Amino acid sequence: MAYSEKVLEHYNNPKNVGSLDKNSKAVGTALVGSPEHGHSDIMRLQIEVNPVTQVITDARFKTFGCGSAIAASSLVTEWLKGKTIHDALRIDNMDIVEELNLPPVKLHCSVLAEEAIKAAVNNYRYKNGLEALVLEEEEEEEYEEEEEESESAFL
């Protein structure tokens, strides 16, 4: 499989590799992917958030996986810097797929990166006494609503 130029660039020259202080209340940490559940890629994503403005001031990653997983991690750290945590949650896995020109067999890398963003934001919120965002349920509800609409179109 041939990687796109953008994947190769992020793989060969990854941005923001490293760690932030996981004990800091300003840092949200996510660890996604699990070999026990069939994932060969594991991502750790950390964001540092300005508590006053809610703007992400830094982002770091460590990823064990294929070139696409490393590229997706590197890309999202670049995208996250300067965004509010609210705007960060709008980053969709398909945005990553399009930017990196990922083939269908590598979609899971973009999904892991999106999950990492959400988990890091929720970890930050938890550390700061804020309620966790229930993103997966909202997405499931939207899917169920779309499914009901499409079923009614056939009736």
Side-chain angles (χ1 to χ4, degrees), residues 32-154:
V32 296
S34 169
E36 298 90 36
H37 295 105
H39 297 287
S40 58
D41 303 306
I42 300 173
M43 291 181 187
R44 186 184 73 187
L45 176 70
Q46 293 181 296
I47 57 172
E48 185 171 41
V49 180
N50 178 313
V52 175
T53 63
Q54 297 293 286
V55 170
I56 297 169
T57 57
D58 201 0
R60 301 281 173 192
F61 82 93
K62 285 189 179 179
T63 295
F64 175 79
C66 67
S68 295
I70 292 167
S73 301
S74 174
L75 176 68
V76 298
T77 60
E78 287 291 287
W79 281 359
L80 289 169
K81 290 181 185 180
K83 285 193 177 352
T84 64
I85 57 174
H86 178 74
D87 288 339
L89 293 171
R90 291 184 178 154
I91 295 174
D92 181 76
N93 78 295
M94 292 311 293
D95 298 329
I96 299 163
V97 168
E98 289 174 18
E99 180 68 21
L100 295 175
N101 195 23
L102 294 178
V105 71
K106 294 297 182 178
L107 287 179
H108 68 280
C109 298
S110 66
V111 171
L112 278 178
E114 181 183 344
E115 288 174 1
I117 293 168
K118 292 174 181 177
V121 167
N122 269 339
N123 181 254
Y124 167 79
R125 291 178 61 84
Y126 172 78
K127 284 180 166 181
N128 288 278
L130 302 170
E131 197 171 316
L133 302 174
V134 187
L135 301 165
E136 291 178 28
E137 288 179 14
E138 291 172 359
E139 290 168 0
E140 287 174 6
E141 287 172 15
E142 288 175 11
Y143 174 75
E144 288 171 2
E145 287 173 13
E146 288 172 11
E147 193 173 52
E148 287 172 12
E149 288 173 12
S150 64
E151 285 176 359
S152 63
F154 287 110

